[in-house]
Amino acid sequence: MAQSAGFTENDLRALSGERSFARGLGYVDAVTAVEVGDGWVTATVHGGDAYAVELSFGASLDGECDCPYGREGNFCKHLVALGLTVLARPDLPQLRARAQERAHQLEEWLAVLSRDELLALVHEQVAFDQQLRRRLEVRASAAGGDLPEARVRIAELLDPAPFARYGYVEYEDAQGYAEQALQAAAVITTLVSGGRAADAIGLAGEAMCLLSGVQDGIDDSDGHLARIGAALAAAHLQACRAARPDPARMARWLLEHALGDPDHLTGIDPLDYADVLGDRGLATLRDLAVAAWRDKPAGWAEKHVLHQLAAAVGDVDMVIAVHAADLAPDGSTHLAIARHLDAADRPGQALRWAQDGLTATLTHPPHAAAVDSALIDYLCARYTQTGRLPDVVALRREDFVARRNLETYRRLRDAAQSAGCWPAERSAALARLRADAEQHEHGWYGEPVLIDALLDDEDTDAAWQAARELGAHDRQWHSLADQSRATRPAHALEVYLRLAEPLRQQTGNRAYEELTSLLLAIGDCHRHLGSEDDFTTYLTTLRTGLKRRRNLMLLLDQHGL
């Protein structure tokens, strides 16, 4: 059945994640009102409420659900349940075939209807579907070519007032507003098809301004405003291609829009208008962009537009000039320049820029700890290509000294092993980490990085000794026990028992899963020690004390505990 659906359980798992997939398994019996089409299926899934769910499995697997989690764009448990229901249906190919046949029959029937019959059908649907009526009314007013009326209609469609409670469009009303506002783009495209493309250009620009002005009064958590903006932008581009406005004037408008749209509601890319602008318009756009950037070289929008234009025509030197005018203190801008030069087959200049970025960062506060790690990776890769392994080690050592975390330790180890000098580098690195631990300079979670480094080296004996001398985080004790369960079962057992004790007082599936994992490890330690009876006694006592926790008991049963 997976083949006939075009997707598998693994596809559902990949889209939803393990947690939602596991929860979706429990909702399969809650799926009702399944309707199968050609490449889609809809249903109602009953949970805390009855949710409308639609799964699309044409070219790719996708879906929508109106539950709170689904409305945020996530592939939720209800979609998983519907997907599993689809996969379990043996009659899916037949249902899809029937859907295709129904669609074909509809097309054939509509094709032979007379004009009067089609009009009667439309009138019937308009009387039944108010949203359809509104959409057709909008298009009808635009088709009449009455520009003032079209302007009024666009303003009404983009006005959020009818959806606002207490002057603000709440989350649950934002979708309704978006469905109305999207019709503003339909007004513009109808004007274009009616031969009023030049007028449509101006109306599209006005509509974008209106949309920008209402955004602060709408909860746009689901990104509806961007959809509206994209529809208006597409209508504007369509109008420009039909009307062919003056290239210089168009270039000026595009630049002003790009610099004045900080929220990027429309997503307009001036290069999309290349066919409208032509060579003369593109030249004007570039000159205007250069002038705007020179007036404000640190402006993000100014840099972005000029960078786009320079990259589009392959003007690497202009791209570099834009970056070089506002160099980031961590060397990331130097790295961006180096990569552009690499792409232009100028590796020598690329390396010099990257090295200058490192030097600039090291000679100014806060020094090496602030260097972009990607810049260090870039330089190490370049040095490795040319056999400069000692330079790689020196750079990795410098980075480790500045940051002293597990990742920089690993990278130093890899470089030093390649260069054949790891024993000496390791001794010095561990000495630094030990000094940090003694001075209580720990990692992100308050644990000695020394313990992580020794564990990563699989130097278990040294890790145990350091943990006892300097202390360790529970996560590190757990890793120590896991790594040495077979060789130090008594020590590992002591750790597991201590970690399990507070979990006996906690409730919730996550705590139960952690406790079950520890119990399995405790049992393994007892097997290594030959004290299985002691484990049986411990487990019996634990189950007796926690027998009211049904989910825990079920989990223990599943694992044979």
Side-chain angles (χ1 to χ4, degrees):
M1 287 312 100
Q3 188 175 8
S4 64
F7 65 92
T8 65
E9 281 193 17
N10 286 337
D11 294 323
L12 294 171
R13 193 189 304 272
L15 281 173
S16 63
E18 290 293 338
R19 183 176 177 82
S20 288
F21 183 84
R23 297 180 71 184
L25 291 170
Y27 280 81
V28 172
D29 292 337
V31 179
T32 63
V34 177
E35 181 180 356
V36 178
D38 181 24
W40 56 266
V41 59
T42 60
T44 300
V45 181
H46 300 271
D49 203 342
Y51 298 113
V53 185
E54 179 173 346
L55 198 64
S56 303
F57 45 92
S60 61
L61 181 62
D62 198 1
E64 293 183 2
C65 177
D66 63 358
C67 73
Y69 189 60
R71 286 201 302 269
E72 293 175 0
N74 299 296
F75 200 91
C76 65
K77 60 190 178 185
H78 307 111
L79 283 165
V80 171
L82 178 54
L84 293 171
T85 301
V86 170
L87 293 175
R89 293 202 62 152
D91 58 346
L92 182 62
Q94 293 86 347
L95 292 172
R96 291 187 67 175
R98 280 185 224 145
Q100 288 176 331
E101 180 60 26
R102 289 195 301 271
H104 181 64
Q105 288 174 347
L106 176 60
E107 289 291 335
E108 288 186 333
W109 177 64
L110 290 173
V112 299
L113 290 180
S114 68
R115 178 179 180 277
D116 289 342
E117 288 171 325
L118 284 171
L119 282 173
L121 180 62
V122 171
H123 285 304
E124 177 186 335
Q125 292 303 309
V126 164
F128 175 76
D129 187 336
Q130 290 187 357
Q131 283 194 344
L132 176 61
R133 171 185 285 277
R134 292 192 197 100
R135 289 198 297 271
L136 293 179
E137 286 174 347
V138 166
R139 298 194 182 196
S141 63
D146 186 339
L147 193 61
E149 174 63 18
R151 180 174 281 110
V152 170
R153 292 296 289 145
I154 288 174
E156 289 175 348
L157 291 167
L158 291 171
D159 182 7
F163 299 87
R165 288 178 284 174
Y166 313 109
Y168 187 78
V169 180
E170 305 288 347
Y171 174 82
E172 56 269 26
D173 298 312
Q175 183 171 352
Y177 169 72
E179 290 173 355
Q180 171 184 288
L182 283 167
Q183 294 307 307
V187 173
I188 296 164
T189 56
T190 302
L191 283 171
V192 175
S193 61
R196 303 290 299 273
D199 293 329
I201 293 174
L203 286 182
E206 293 173 18
M208 293 177 200
C209 291
L210 288 173
L211 180 65
S212 179
V214 303
Q215 60 181 317
D216 290 339
I218 299 172
D219 182 340
D220 193 36
S221 301
D222 285 348
H224 293 301
L225 293 179
R227 286 199 300 124
I228 302 165
L232 292 174
H236 181 265
L237 180 56
Q238 181 184 351
C240 288
R241 283 175 172 161
R244 295 291 169 177
D246 176 70
R249 187 177 303 165
M250 190 74 251
R252 189 168 290 104
W253 183 91
L254 285 169
L255 183 67
E256 290 173 356
H257 181 81
L259 299 183
D261 184 25
D263 299 303
H264 304 287
L265 287 180
T266 61
I268 285 181
D269 181 350
L271 293 174
D272 289 341
Y273 290 73
D275 58 328
V276 176
L277 294 169
D279 292 340
R280 184 165 69 90
L282 284 171
T284 301
L285 180 61
R286 183 184 180 280
D287 292 343
L288 292 170
V290 169
W293 169 66
R294 285 176 176 161
D295 285 343
K296 192 177 179 182
W300 185 92
E302 287 76 7
K303 288 192 297 182
H304 178 69
V305 172
L306 188 55
H307 182 275
Q308 276 185 302
L309 291 170
V313 299
D315 189 345
V316 177
D317 291 319
M318 177 58 73
V319 172
I320 293 170
V322 173
H323 282 306
D326 187 28
L327 294 170
D330 64 352
S332 58
T333 318
H334 289 81
L335 176 60
I337 292 172
R339 286 176 170 157
H340 282 294
L341 288 165
D342 277 333
D345 198 22
R346 292 156 65 176
Q349 289 177 274
L351 181 59
R352 283 194 292 277
W353 269 100
Q355 290 171 328
D356 288 348
L358 180 65
T359 301
T361 306
L362 294 177
T363 54
H364 293 88
H367 306 303
V371 179
D372 184 354
S373 59
L375 175 61
I376 294 172
D377 291 343
Y378 174 88
L379 284 167
C380 287
R382 291 293 304 271
Y383 292 160
T384 301
Q385 288 170 1
T386 54
R388 296 171 57 180
L389 297 185
D391 289 336
V392 176
V393 173
L395 194 49
R396 291 301 187 192
R397 183 193 308 123
E398 201 167 63
D399 191 31
F400 167 74
V401 170
R403 305 179 206 261
R404 295 202 293 283
N405 56 44
L406 180 59
E407 186 57 35
T408 57
Y409 180 84
R410 285 171 172 165
R411 292 176 183 268
L412 173 60
R413 181 180 62 201
D414 291 343
Q417 285 176 340
S418 296
C421 59
W422 177 229
E425 291 290 341
R426 180 176 189 262
S427 178
L430 292 177
R432 286 185 180 277
L433 294 179
R434 176 172 285 276
D436 284 347
E438 290 171 347
Q439 295 170 23
H440 304 290
E441 294 182 14
H442 294 162
W444 285 104
Y445 299 102
E447 72 277 16
V449 178
L450 174 65
I451 310 298
D452 286 329
L454 292 169
L455 283 168
D456 206 61
D457 285 341
E458 297 185 3
D459 190 348
T460 311
D461 290 341
W464 275 104
Q465 182 177 345
R468 285 175 176 150
E469 291 176 2
L470 303 167
H473 189 273
D474 280 350
R475 175 188 62 79
Q476 294 175 318
W477 281 115
H478 198 161
S479 297
L480 261 173
D482 287 345
Q483 198 172 102
S484 54
R485 200 156 68 206
T487 57
R488 292 171 171 256
H491 294 151
L493 177 60
E494 180 183 341
V495 171
Y496 291 137
L497 288 171
R498 180 178 63 78
L499 295 176
E501 194 57 35
L503 291 172
R504 297 173 65 165
Q505 315 305 319
Q506 298 177 28
T507 57
N509 289 339
R510 184 171 180 179
Y512 299 157
E513 289 167 3
E514 291 179 16
L515 180 56
T516 301
S517 176
L518 286 170
L519 290 172
L520 290 168
I522 290 168
D524 193 34
C525 289
H526 278 293
R527 278 189 290 277
H528 283 295
L529 293 167
S531 54
E532 290 90 339
D533 290 345
D534 290 345
F535 177 62
T536 301
T537 301
Y538 173 82
L539 186 60
T540 301
T541 302
L542 182 143
R543 290 188 66 117
T544 301
L546 304 178
K547 63 183 179 182
R548 294 182 180 275
R549 300 180 187 176
R550 276 189 62 212
N551 285 359
L552 175 60
M553 295 299 108
L554 288 171
L555 200 56
L556 296 181
D557 290 340
Q558 289 172 10
H559 289 84
L561 292 170

